[in-house]
Every structure is written in structure tokens, then in C-alpha cells.
Amino acid sequence: MPSHIQAALPRGRRLTARPSPLRAIAAALPLAGALLAPVACATWWPSFRGSAPTPMPDTYRCAVARVRALGFTPVAFNEGDGDMEARREDRAASARLVAERRQYDVLVVDAATPTPSASSSDGDASGRSTLSVRAETIVRRVTREGWIEEGQPASPGVQTAARQIVQECAGER
């Protein structure tokens, strides 16, 4: 410590360095980061996958039928590629929100024919398909610019629906 500061202190008093609260916070940040890393890496929108013994068009039709039976409405689909997005308004959750907001459960379905791999014993995946269903939850809100969609963690209801579709049409793995 500089001598001119020590000279300004009353006789017998010494200025000691005290730990700053900011230093304590800075020292705790790496530990907090290590503890929160698994939480930050968790996905909001889980995917459920299965392998079906049926061809891709049949698996896709099964998934579309189950999606509609569960009350979802397809909003975007491509039967040739086996892709579909379907939505269902979660009326119970929307009722808890303010009037300008709506909560939707979204299912993103992808049925595909697996590509044969070099390690595959049969070398041909004909007659089989894979099914992937991603469960999403979004909140739509109106602003001056129009509707804005914000992602939310997938609700338990949409996760159950996605798991059920995969189990019934492909067998979950």
C-alpha cells in the first residue's frame, strides 16, 4: 500500500485489504456454470423415434391418422417426403393467459426410409421405415407488428401425444 495513504490513517490503524463481494461472485461463477450446464443443455422440444416394419408411406399415413385422432390439425405437410407439422390449441393453458395470447401444442412428424449402411447385413432397407415425432409448445401473442410465436418447454400433453404416435405407428426405441 502506498505510504501516503498509510500516513493519512490515524496512528496505530492499518488499512487491510478486505475481500470484495464482487470477487466472491466472480469466484463462484465457474462453479455455478458447471452446475447449470446440464440444465442448459436439456432440450425444450424432445423427439421420439421408432423403427417400423412397414414402408414409409404406410408409416406416414398411420402417423397422420393418429395425429388427427388426437385432435391436432395438420398445417404443413408433404406426403412425398413424409413430413408434417400439426397444431392443437391448448385451451386450458390459453385460458390462463391474457386475451392476446394463445398456447399451441405442435407435433413435427418425419417418416423416412432408412439409408442402407455398409455395416448392414441385408444391405437393403426396403419395406422398413423410421418415424420421428418432435413435441413442441409455442405461445402466440399479438403485437403492433402482428403475431409473434415464442417457444416454450414442451407441455406434458404434447409429449404424451408424440410418444403415443411413435408407439402405435413404429414402436418406440
Side-chain angles (χ1 to χ4, degrees):
M1 178 178 310
S3 60
H4 66 282
I5 294 178
Q6 284 292 347
L9 292 174
R11 223 173 245 276
R13 298 263 312 176
R14 296 190 55 88
L15 188 59
T16 58
R18 292 185 183 157
S20 165
L22 292 177
R23 283 186 189 210
I25 292 171
L29 283 178
L31 177 62
L35 292 175
L36 293 176
V39 174
C41 295
T43 180
W44 273 14
W45 296 341
S47 291
F48 301 92
R49 294 177 174 79
S51 179
T54 58
M56 187 275 290
D58 294 341
T59 304
Y60 179 77
R61 281 193 287 276
C62 175
V64 170
R66 291 302 311 144
V67 162
R68 288 188 172 147
L70 291 169
F72 287 83
T73 304
V75 294
F77 53 91
N78 182 343
E79 189 171 348
D81 289 340
D83 299 331
M84 177 182 57
E85 180 178 318
R87 291 184 179 198
R88 173 180 71 186
E89 182 179 358
D90 186 345
R91 296 190 188 278
S94 292
R96 293 189 300 267
L97 299 172
V98 294
E100 299 83 21
R101 294 177 183 251
R102 296 285 177 259
Q103 183 169 317
Y104 292 91
D105 288 334
V106 179
L107 293 174
V108 179
V109 177
D110 181 31
T113 302
T115 56
S117 65
S119 64
S120 174
S121 60
D122 60 357
D124 184 17
S126 64
R128 298 195 55 82
S129 60
T130 59
L131 179 66
S132 173
V133 181
R134 187 174 68 230
E136 302 177 0
T137 297
I138 59 168
V139 172
R140 288 186 74 197
R141 64 182 176 92
V142 67
T143 65
R144 284 183 241 172
E145 292 83 23
W147 286 98
I148 295 177
E149 294 184 351
E150 299 171 336
Q152 301 291 319
S155 70
V158 74
Q159 290 184 43
T160 301
R163 187 176 293 116
Q164 184 179 6
I165 291 167
V166 172
Q167 284 175 343
E168 293 181 11
C169 295
E172 187 175 6
R173 61 175 167 166

